[in-house]
Amino acid sequence: DVQLQASGGGLVQPGGSLRLSCAASGFTVDDYAIGWFRQAPGKEREGVLCISSSAESTWYADGVRGRFTISRDNAKNTVYLQMNSLKPEDTAVYYCARATYVRHCPLRLRYGMGYWGKGTQVTVSS
């Protein structure tokens, strides 16, 4: 069955870096759009970035463009989120998800994802 496992979260100081991993099983990551999301306490879950099937396109939220990068390792069937220059407002539980059917990143990103992994906590604090 389809599974996604997010990992790599932790505590980091402002300005630091983390790399999150999303290990997938039951499907090939290069065949679907994969998105990263985050949910901070008291806030709705929001899309952070997305990569389309075969890396045809990417989408970044305005607040992370230039700091976060998404990539695939097809040999490991894993998607990565490299986070640099972290800020306290980046503190959240981070989730990876797969589009239900389509290869491209859905226009309404959150609602186009049909498969979700359990999140990993990222805390940015001094």
Side-chain angles (χ1 to χ4, degrees), residues 27-34 50-58 70-74 79 102-105:
F27 71 98
T28 300
V29 297
D30 199 43
D31 291 342
Y32 295 89
I34 307 293
C50 177
I51 186 168
S52 68
S53 173
S54 301
E56 296 174 351
S57 63
T58 56
I70 190 170
S71 63
R72 288 190 182 96
D73 184 336
N74 291 329
V79 177
V102 300
R103 293 163 48 89
H104 62 273
C105 294

Side-chain angles (χ1 to χ4, degrees), residues 86-107:
L86 283 163
K87 304 175 181 179
E89 52 262 44
D90 295 319
T91 295
V93 177
Y94 283 72
Y95 302 84
C96 62
R98 196 206 84 180
T100 304
Y101 300 112
V102 300
R103 293 163 48 89
H104 62 273
C105 294
L107 188 60

Side-chain angles (χ1 to χ4, degrees), residues 9-13 18 86-88 90-92 94 120-125:
L11 176 64
V12 63
Q13 294 185 351
L18 282 174
L86 283 163
K87 304 175 181 179
D90 295 319
T91 295
Y94 283 72
T120 184
Q121 177 72 49
V122 173
T123 302
V124 184
S125 177

Side-chain angles (χ1 to χ4, degrees), residues 35-50 59-64 67-68 81 88-97 108-111 113 116:
W36 283 95
F37 300 78
R38 66 186 181 188
Q39 187 166 19
K43 296 185 178 180
E44 295 183 344
R45 190 173 300 182
E46 64 176 346
V48 178
L49 41 67
C50 177
W59 175 89
Y60 293 80
D62 289 341
V64 305
R67 299 190 297 121
F68 291 9
L81 173 60
E89 52 262 44
D90 295 319
T91 295
V93 177
Y94 283 72
Y95 302 84
C96 62
R108 298 186 68 185
L109 192 61
R110 172 182 173 182
Y111 301 103
M113 300 294 173
W116 295 82

